Amino acid sequence: MIVVGGTNNIAFGTGILTERTHAIFHTKQNSPLRYHYDSAETLLFELTLRSNIVEAARALSRSGAYFADFQHSFCNPVYWERTKEGKFRLRSGASSHDAIQDIFANGTAYAFECSMAVIVVLHKGILDTIEERHYEALFADLFLFDENANRRLQLIDRRPIQEAVAGDILYVQNPDYDPTIPWAKGENVVMLDNGRFFGHGYGMGVASAEDVMTILNKQRLPESTISASFTDRFVHPDFAYFAQWARRGYNQPLIATIGDWMHVEKI
């Protein structure tokens, strides 16, 4: 259940929600768990950022970026310096905003693992939802993929898996993976809409849950009887944290309270 300012009776006017954001809202509104928001603006920001994460995942699947382990990763040297561990550090003087955008515009200049792919997707979703100057300030010394840089994404661990909605990051484990293929031990995926997921490994792209399992199961030990499966954990950015830097127009609805109902309309 979604609760905003003490009420769970929320009505959106025409044009406020898209088909995707309405589906996300509907799913969370019908959950047995309570999701509290300090304002309708914060709720709308989350819905918008989730939608932009989905769009970013679909865009990365079309970008031409290759899958590779860290040993064989590569990047565009105009924006990035590749470390000896195969990770990407923003080049001095380069714009973090432009560097992330370049991954999507010039995908064939990049190769990276699925774990880095979901981080790239989250960055793209965020930069498309907050003011560019704020993104530059927050991620001025961007480093893909180190723990400190990931902490700046303000990732929140959640469970159970049944509560995951579009824009969440899930993990598919593969317990009996072939140890000669270490990256086959699992796959980080972005939950899209309509039962689809984005995974970067093995050129997976946009796929159903069944397709994700089938691809990973092909990388198991010959005698394995344990299928790949989703873990019960998922993560997403702290939407309320990033909402303070929302782009203008994303969180400026007209809000009226009539009785027990909160009405959210376009200005």
Side-chain angles (χ1 to χ4, degrees), residues 173-187:
Q173 61 186 349
N174 193 18
D176 282 351
Y177 72 96
D178 185 339
T180 65
I181 314 174
W183 54 87
K185 66 181 178 180
E187 178 77 14

Side-chain angles (χ1 to χ4, degrees), residues 13-109:
T14 302
I16 290 287
L17 300 182
T18 65
E19 181 179 349
R20 177 184 296 144
T21 55
H22 180 270
I24 297 170
F25 173 80
H26 180 76
T27 299
K28 298 190 74 169
Q29 181 70 309
N30 286 281
S31 167
L33 301 184
R34 284 179 173 260
Y35 293 95
H36 292 272
Y37 296 87
D38 60 359
S39 68
E41 290 86 351
T42 302
L43 170 59
L44 286 172
F45 178 85
E46 174 179 327
L47 295 175
T48 301
L49 178 48
R50 284 184 176 279
S51 183
N52 286 344
I53 290 171
V54 170
E55 286 301 314
R58 291 185 177 277
L60 189 59
S61 74
R62 300 188 300 264
S63 70
Y66 300 102
F67 171 76
D69 60 15
F70 285 113
Q71 182 180 355
H72 299 96
S73 69
F74 56 84
C75 54
N76 186 348
V78 173
Y79 295 100
W80 305 95
E81 295 177 350
R82 182 184 180 278
T83 69
K84 62 181 180 180
E85 297 85 11
K87 304 173 184 181
F88 307 159
R89 188 194 307 274
L90 185 69
R91 187 171 291 279
S92 177
S95 158
S96 56
H97 179 277
D98 292 346
I100 291 294
Q101 295 283 36
D102 186 68
I103 298 175
F104 293 82
N106 298 299
T108 54

Side-chain angles (χ1 to χ4, degrees), residues 135-155:
Y135 181 84
E136 290 286 353
L138 289 168
F139 302 105
D141 55 349
L142 187 56
F143 186 8
L144 304 176
F145 163 91
D146 78 318
E147 292 183 2
N148 183 56
N150 294 340
R151 280 194 295 270
R152 294 188 191 180
L153 288 171
Q154 304 289 320
L155 298 182

Side-chain angles (χ1 to χ4, degrees), residues 99-241:
I100 291 294
Q101 295 283 36
D102 186 68
I103 298 175
F104 293 82
N106 298 299
T108 54
Y110 295 86
F112 41 75
E113 277 199 349
C114 64
S115 55
M116 187 182 291
V118 295
I119 296 300
V120 168
V121 165
L122 291 177
H123 274 283
K124 172 66 168 167
I126 291 169
L127 70 82
D128 284 343
T129 317
I130 70 174
E131 295 284 349
E132 181 176 335
R133 60 191 175 92
H134 293 312
Y135 181 84
E136 290 286 353
L138 289 168
F139 302 105
D141 55 349
L142 187 56
F143 186 8
L144 304 176
F145 163 91
D146 78 318
E147 292 183 2
N148 183 56
N150 294 340
R151 280 194 295 270
R152 294 188 191 180
L153 288 171
Q154 304 289 320
L155 298 182
I156 296 175
D157 282 272
R158 298 294 305 275
R159 52 178 52 87
I161 193 67
Q162 291 79 9
E163 291 296 308
V165 295
D168 286 327
I169 308 300
L170 290 69
Y171 185 70
V172 183
Q173 61 186 349
N174 193 18
D176 282 351
Y177 72 96
D178 185 339
T180 65
I181 314 174
W183 54 87
K185 66 181 178 180
E187 178 77 14
N188 295 277
V189 298
V190 182
M191 189 171 185
L192 308 180
D193 30 27
N194 301 317
R196 310 293 283 180
F197 298 86
F198 165 73
H200 186 61
Y202 304 98
M204 190 176 297
V206 176
S208 67
E210 293 75 16
D211 290 338
V212 175
M213 306 303 172
T214 297
I215 291 170
L216 285 176
N217 283 340
K218 290 180 179 178
Q219 313 303 324
R220 292 183 296 171
L221 293 169
E223 66 275 16
S224 171
T225 59
I226 302 176
S227 173
S229 62
F230 284 100
T231 65
D232 197 40
R233 169 181 172 268
F234 62 96
V235 302
H236 60 66
D238 185 339
F239 298 107
Y241 171 78

